[in-house]
Amino acid sequence: MPAKKRVLVAMSGGVDSSVTAYLLKSQGYDCMGATMRLTCSRSFDEMRERSCCSLRDLEDAEAVCAGLGIPWQAVDLRETFSRRVIDKFVASYEAGLTPNPCIDCNRYLKFGALMDYARAQGCDYVATGHYARVARTDGGTWTLSRGIDPAKDQSYVLYPLTQERLARTLLPLGGLLKGRDVRRIAAEQGFGNAGKPDSQGICFCPDDDFAGFIEDREGHPLPEGDILDASGAVIGRHRGAARYTIGQRKGLGVAMLHPVYVTAVDTSANTVTLGEEADLMAGALVADDWIWSAPRARMERALDGAGRDGVPVSAKVRYHQPHQGARLLRGPQDGTYLVRFERPQRAIAPGQAVVAYEGDVVLGGGRVREALKG
């Protein structure tokens, strides 16, 4: 008989990864569990329960693996996490961008450093509890598709999975509903974390106080600066441009007779500009740092063939945003891509991720460089 395929299951201590391990073992895979130790700025004892990598998470992950009879270990990836995710997060906010550190964690940690670790352990696959689907086509290529649970679909944050990585990835929860299926399985198996709440927010910033985290990380307060109106006139003072994001309405520190929104953050001038909601609308965007989940050669040929009309896609620039009709074209600079929407979109912020789909299938994605009004 051929040897069982060996899988490293990324165990977060939550219900999703626990059910993932159970399902794969039930399907006959040779499983081992691994929990990434990621947090750098706080010790385990200081980490709150709602953050990742807490002592409780480690204990829950180890207990589930023990109950399933599979080996478990903690993998120290703190240096990589600090350099690849936290440092980039801080630098992005200081540059006036709106980053998504969960995407970087998937790109560089779960399906980067942890996949390298799995290969060194003789594992054929890495499995996670993400709600998305991986499948092999008749032509031998791979597809990444939306999970069937619309409330939990996580394909948006997995667009950095290239063909090479998809070939070594298992996502057994993509065809399940969390409330109806996953928690029921966890309860039936007697997992102690069956009722554990979903993680919320950014794991290393449990209070969602991004500015406070950056100040603590950098060791100094954010510099104050001017708040401007659309004409460039000074109408107030801010306590750090990193406290503001495009589209923000509340907590602006300026009293106006009508609603105003953050329309620009200029960290080089250390200014924040406020304007009308109409000023937030953009019909297109330019993206860089693009990664293809679909076969790159096929997509490049499609773009060449489409010319100025572009490839029809649906796209989104936020995790929970409904899919928007769009056209994907080559961008104005080498290595950039242009996404032109059928209808103007609100509050597209540089630094956000834009992900393009063909139906349920992820084609690729990149980082928003700029929003275009036209």
Side-chain angles (χ1 to χ4, degrees), residues 163-192:
Q163 288 287 296
E164 179 184 9
R165 292 181 178 183
L166 288 171
R168 302 187 62 239
T169 297
L170 297 177
L171 304 176
L173 303 191
L176 302 178
L177 302 177
K178 182 156 189 176
R180 186 193 71 185
D181 302 320
V182 175
R183 289 200 183 276
R184 173 183 56 79
I185 293 171
E188 291 174 349
Q189 297 306 310
F191 294 157

Side-chain angles (χ1 to χ4, degrees), residues 308-335:
R308 297 178 63 180
D309 292 333
V311 174
V313 299
S314 65
K316 55 193 295 188
V317 295
R318 282 178 287 277
Y319 181 84
H320 292 295
Q321 182 187 27
H323 288 241
Q324 306 294 313
R327 292 272 174 170
L328 178 64
L329 306 91
R330 296 194 187 280
Q333 294 86 31
D334 288 344

